Amino acid sequence: TNVIDFCSLISGTSFTDFGDLAVAKKSAEGLSNNAGGIGGSYLDLVQRPSVTYMPGSGRAFVYGGNRSAADSKNIDMFHVHTLGNSSDFGDLIRIQDNNASCGSRTRGIIKGGSSPSDALNTHIDSIEYASQGNSADFGDATQANNRKAGVSNTTRGVFAGGKVSGGSERTNVIDYVTMASVGNATDFGDLTVARQESGSFESPTRGVIGGGYDASAYSNVIDYITIASTGDATDYGDLAVADQVKGLSSSVRGVFGGGDQPSISNVIQYVTIASTGNTQDFGDLTQARAKQAEASNNTRGVFSGGQSPALRNTMDYITIASTGNAADFGDLLDTNSRTTGGCDSHGLSLIHI
């Protein structure tokens, strides 16, 4: 229907005809002037006014990494919708690189990678997006590892794959956390192929993990999971080339960028997340590189840092719904590689920014 009704909340009168919508719709919402125009059944997904920060407004992060040839615990911050350089947010608990991340609309979750001695660990940190400062201890993963992939919906964070020894052992283990509650990770299931350094992205329902290295060769395998459930991953399709890539997404389209096979790459490729199949060509990064950080809102994606093989502070951006080459976004505070990133509004269809 296209009918609009109204009533007085003070007097408690019956509803009266207000007018008509331009187009008849279903699953409509309600709102009131007392709520400042904020209403409906998805209150946890609606931006609320704030003097300094609005949840879901596109605040993005780069966590740790290898900076100026030394491992780091620094956290960079920038805003996806505004071109410019990153700024300092705070520090991780400990120095680490080769880490992975995911997040809700209010909290970022960082699975520890490796320390300067390349020691693997189970550490999971968290940050509160609204409060600049250092990370806090969240819990522990089910196994000590690094070079994992991370995906999430608004409530659950999932980490997949990784390297579990200093030699050739890779893992297919997937574990998960409930992001609102601190605690240890729980087993989710297994990837179709054990591998490390896969790229990943998500829609509100599905997580996609692509590429990586499986101890003897680079992989072109793309898997997917349903984030709200548990169980083993399912084959999705293939990358254009077997490679270690990084991924970001809107709620509809997932994008992989960069890599180092057969040489350092500037290739950007994409899929439609709700379907299955092989990647298609999107365009090129401004600079060929691998092991960069990634962050996106529902419109724009940003690839930051990386190595080619020299460390880079370059930040590129793309408009996810279109195809074409990336453009310059700004610069990180320092050159950085073997890192991960995140955003408070990644791949969430109910956030409009």
Side-chain angles (χ1 to χ4, degrees):
T1 180
N2 65 348
V3 173
I4 306 172
D5 291 347
F6 79 99
C7 72
S8 169
L9 298 176
I10 297 176
S11 61
T13 58
S14 300
F15 281 89
T16 303
D17 182 64
F18 184 92
D20 294 326
L21 295 170
V23 178
K25 298 182 178 181
K26 65 178 181 179
S27 300
E29 300 290 343
L31 50 80
S32 66
N33 54 8
N34 285 341
I38 297 175
S41 60
Y42 297 105
L43 291 179
D44 63 322
L45 295 179
V46 178
Q47 295 179 8
R48 288 171 173 77
S50 170
V51 174
T52 58
Y53 171 67
M54 186 177 289
S57 62
R59 181 173 279 190
F61 307 89
V62 176
Y63 302 112
N66 182 254
R67 304 183 183 219
S68 298
D71 291 344
S72 169
K73 61 181 179 178
N74 299 112
I75 305 172
D76 282 22
M77 177 183 71
F78 60 95
H79 295 82
V80 174
H81 60 281
T82 304
L83 303 185
N85 300 335
S86 68
S87 61
D88 182 63
F89 180 89
D91 292 330
L92 298 171
I93 293 175
R94 57 192 63 82
I95 293 171
Q96 58 181 277
D97 66 359
N98 290 317
N99 45 10
S101 65
C102 58
S104 67
R105 288 197 61 248
T106 59
R107 174 177 282 178
I109 307 294
I110 307 97
K111 165 61 186 76
S114 46
S115 68
S117 62
D118 206 35
L120 308 183
N121 63 73
T122 61
H123 304 309
I124 304 175
D125 289 9
S126 66
I127 63 165
E128 302 303 315
Y129 296 145
S131 304
Q132 289 186 235
N134 300 335
S135 68
D137 182 62
F138 184 93
D140 290 303
T142 59
Q143 59 181 187
N145 50 43
N146 66 5
R147 309 180 193 217
K148 297 181 75 66
V151 297
S152 58
N153 58 18
T154 57
T155 58
R156 175 179 284 186
V158 181
F159 295 105
K163 183 179 179 181
V164 290
S165 75
S168 61
E169 187 177 355
R170 273 69 184 177
T171 182
N172 63 354
V173 169
I174 308 172
D175 52 14
Y176 74 95
V177 296
T178 300
M179 292 182 286
S181 305
V182 297
N184 297 335
T186 302
D187 183 64
F188 183 100
D190 295 326
L191 294 172
T192 63
V193 178
R195 57 199 194 273
Q196 67 177 45
E197 293 192 82
S198 300
S200 57
F201 47 71
E202 63 276 301
S203 69
T205 58
R206 178 179 282 187
V208 180
I209 301 99
Y213 186 76
D214 66 7
S216 62
Y218 290 92
S219 174
N220 67 351
V221 172
I222 306 175
D223 292 349
Y224 75 93
I225 59 170
T226 300
I227 299 172
S229 65
T230 57
D232 294 342
T234 302
D235 182 65
Y236 183 99
D238 294 325
L239 296 174
V241 176
D243 204 353
Q244 299 176 140
V245 293
K246 286 299 188 88
L248 52 81
S249 66
S250 66
S251 61
V252 175
R253 174 178 284 184
V255 180
F256 293 114
D260 55 12
Q261 294 301 308
S263 58
I264 299 294
S265 173
N266 65 353
V267 171
I268 309 173
Q269 48 195 310
Y270 76 96
V271 297
T272 301
I273 299 174
S275 64
T276 57
N278 300 336
T279 59
Q280 301 179 62
D281 183 63
F282 185 99
D284 295 326
L285 296 171
T286 65
Q287 190 176 64
R289 58 195 193 273
K291 304 180 188 297
Q292 68 274 17
E294 69 297 325
S296 61
N297 61 19
N298 208 33
T299 305
R300 174 181 285 176
V302 182
F303 292 103
S304 303
Q307 61 188 60
S308 60
L311 300 181
R312 301 293 180 183
N313 66 350
T314 305
M315 302 172 71
D316 288 356
Y317 77 95
I318 57 170
T319 300
I320 300 172
S322 64
T323 57
N325 295 336
D328 182 63
F329 184 95
D331 293 323
L332 294 174
L333 287 172
D334 196 358
T335 57
N336 197 0
S337 177
R338 300 194 313 224
T339 183
T340 187
C343 183
D344 66 3
S345 49
H346 59 96
L348 305 179
S349 60
L350 295 176
I351 296 174
H352 305 288
I353 55 182

